[in-house]
Amino acid sequence: MTHLPYILASYGLATVIALTLSIGAALRLKKARMRLAVLERPSDRTTGATSSL
Amino acid sequence: MSATPTLVARAGTFFHRYANPGRFLKLGARLQPWLTWPALLLTLVGLGWGLFFSPADWQQGDSVRIMYVHVPAAMLASAGYAGLAVCAVLSLVWRHPLADLAAVEIGPVGACITALCLATGSLWGKPMWGTWWVWDARLTSVLVLFFLYLGHIALIRAFDDPQRGYKAAAILALAGAVDLPVIKFSVQWWNTLHQPDSITLTGAPTMSSSMLWPLALSTLGFSLGFAAIVLARTRAAVMESRIRSLLSSPRRRAGNASGDAA
């Protein structure tokens, strides 16, 4: 392979961007889901209301 | 005369069916694994095939393997912006609340994929053209697209009232859509250093099937991955919006106040 550094840099960059975006999205989703579960739990218990979501 | 409003109203009813956050979250949760796992599998197979098993080009040698990253990124950069323009229409015409949230989430992902397209283009250009960058019509129009993405990200967060930010960014997304045909046809309209399209809708592809298959797989994988990331971010945004409304609800504030008093 004569142009190996350019090829590796391209694939490496793609991997870094894909991992950053997907891990970021997964963590954000997990955090939002957990916070929402915590916020909705007490109100369900006290009022018996179901979530509008 | 009456046909147009009816059509617009019918379309509005269709789109608003998915404006309900609960319905969207349910649909999104069901759709998420069907996007994520095929995306991962197709991308790994496509890139692995392109990197290790597809043949080298007779002129470009092994550097043609950059194509399996660059071409999907280039297609998605334009497709992502087209998605922003669709969200802008949904927001401006039908005031669809999820369209604004989706636009906020598409912007950064689209900017990253456009940056990847520009960077891999430079990495391909250096060994082939002997330079990292030329002010060629195709390269310049994609750079303009990158700036449009950055402008959209900045504009949507620039106002205290989010609705004004959504509206301004939607107008920018629609105006910027003019760049999409310029990118597509730049290699035909101007004499550019960038090669013409190898795959068109009307003609047979001008590349060997041993290169076309890994390219098709990686393009499909990247596309599903883009959709999966945007869906996950939009689901998170809907949940965060719900969290904000719960935290600012009068009942919760009253509960907090009574708790403090006690």
Side-chain angles (χ1 to χ4, degrees), chain A residues 29-41, chain B residues 240 243-244 246-247:
Chain A
L29 190 59
K30 189 180 170 188
K31 191 179 157 193
R33 202 184 285 141
M34 283 169 68
R35 277 195 74 192
L36 195 59
V38 167
L39 281 173
E40 285 185 331
R41 207 177 302 145
Chain B
E240 285 160 3
I243 289 165
R244 276 194 299 275
L246 276 176
L247 287 175

Side-chain angles (χ1 to χ4, degrees), chain B residues 70-239:
Chain B
H70 176 73
V71 171
M75 284 180 170
L76 275 178
S78 290
Y81 200 86
L84 266 191
V86 170
C87 287
V89 172
L90 287 173
S91 168
L92 291 173
V93 178
W94 289 290
R95 301 190 180 283
H96 197 291
L98 286 180
D100 291 323
L101 288 181
V104 174
E105 303 308 329
I106 290 173
V109 184
C112 285
I113 209 84
T114 312
L116 178 66
C117 167
L118 288 167
T120 52
S122 280
L123 287 163
W124 198 0
K126 181 64 180 166
M128 290 300 103
W129 302 336
T131 179
W132 296 103
W133 182 264
V134 281
W135 291 102
D136 169 273
R138 172 60 71 88
L139 277 69
T140 309
S141 53
V142 175
L143 184 66
V144 169
L145 183 72
F146 179 61
F147 290 141
L148 282 168
Y149 271 120
L150 294 186
H152 187 272
I153 294 166
L155 197 57
I156 214 161
R157 292 164 173 81
F159 295 88
D160 288 333
D161 176 13
Q163 293 303 324
R164 288 183 66 197
Y166 294 152
K167 193 173 179 185
I171 292 167
L172 174 70
L174 276 184
V178 173
D179 192 37
L180 297 181
V182 175
I183 292 172
K184 168 72 183 147
F185 296 110
S186 57
V187 286
Q188 293 168 25
W189 292 344
W190 293 284
N191 186 19
T192 64
L193 192 57
H194 193 284
Q195 66 178 65
D197 295 331
S198 301
I199 305 162
T200 57
L201 286 175
T202 50
T206 59
M207 71 169 72
S208 152
S209 60
S210 56
M211 292 177 170
L212 195 61
W213 273 107
L215 181 61
L217 290 180
S218 61
T219 303
L220 193 58
F222 269 55
S223 305
L224 291 175
F226 187 93
I229 290 169
V230 169
L231 179 64
R233 290 173 63 108
T234 310
R235 285 172 63 206
V238 170
M239 288 180 191

